[in-house]
Amino acid sequence: MEYDKQVKNRLKRIEGQLKGVLNMMEQGKDCRDIVTQLSAARSAIDRTMGVIVSTNLEQCVRESIEKGEDTENLVKEAVELLVKSR
C-alpha cells in the first residue's frame, strides 16, 4: 500500500500534539489538561488507523473484483484489524 500525503500529515500533527504534551508536563501543567490532550491524540491516532484500513480495504476490494475474486475475507480481515486496534 502506498500512503498518501494526507495520512502522513495527520501523523505529523499527532507527533506535534505529543510534543506539546511533553512540554506541558515539563511546565507542570494540570493533570486534567494533559489527559485532555492525550485523549485528543489517541482519538487522532484511532481516526488515522481507520483511514489507513479503509483506504487499503478499498484498494484490495477493487483489485479482487477486477480479478473476479471473492472479497468477503478482505472485509472480515479489515474489521478484525480495526477491532483489535481498539
Side-chain angles (χ1 to χ4, degrees), residues 17-18 20-22 24-25 28-44:
Q17 280 181 300
L18 293 175
V21 171
L22 285 171
M24 290 172 68
M25 291 174 143
K29 297 289 182 177
D30 187 70
C31 166
R32 288 174 290 228
D33 296 332
I34 291 171
V35 170
T36 297
Q37 290 303 312
L38 286 171
S39 178
R42 181 175 53 196
S43 294

Side-chain angles (χ1 to χ4, degrees), residues 17-77:
Q17 280 181 300
L18 293 175
K19 286 180 181 178
V21 171
L22 285 171
N23 287 333
M24 290 172 68
M25 291 174 143
E26 290 171 0
Q27 295 170 6
K29 297 289 182 177
D30 187 70
C31 166
R32 288 174 290 228
D33 296 332
I34 291 171
V35 170
T36 297
Q37 290 303 312
L38 286 171
S39 178
R42 181 175 53 196
S43 294
I45 289 170
D46 288 342
R47 287 190 306 272
T48 302
M49 284 189 292
V51 168
I52 290 170
V53 171
S54 66
T55 302
N56 184 54
L57 176 61
E58 181 183 356
Q59 290 174 2
C60 290
V61 166
R62 283 186 181 161
E63 290 172 8
S64 291
I65 289 172
E66 288 172 4
K67 294 176 185 176
E69 298 172 351
D70 183 40
T71 61
E72 184 177 343
N73 285 336
L74 292 172
V75 174
K76 284 182 183 178
E77 287 177 22

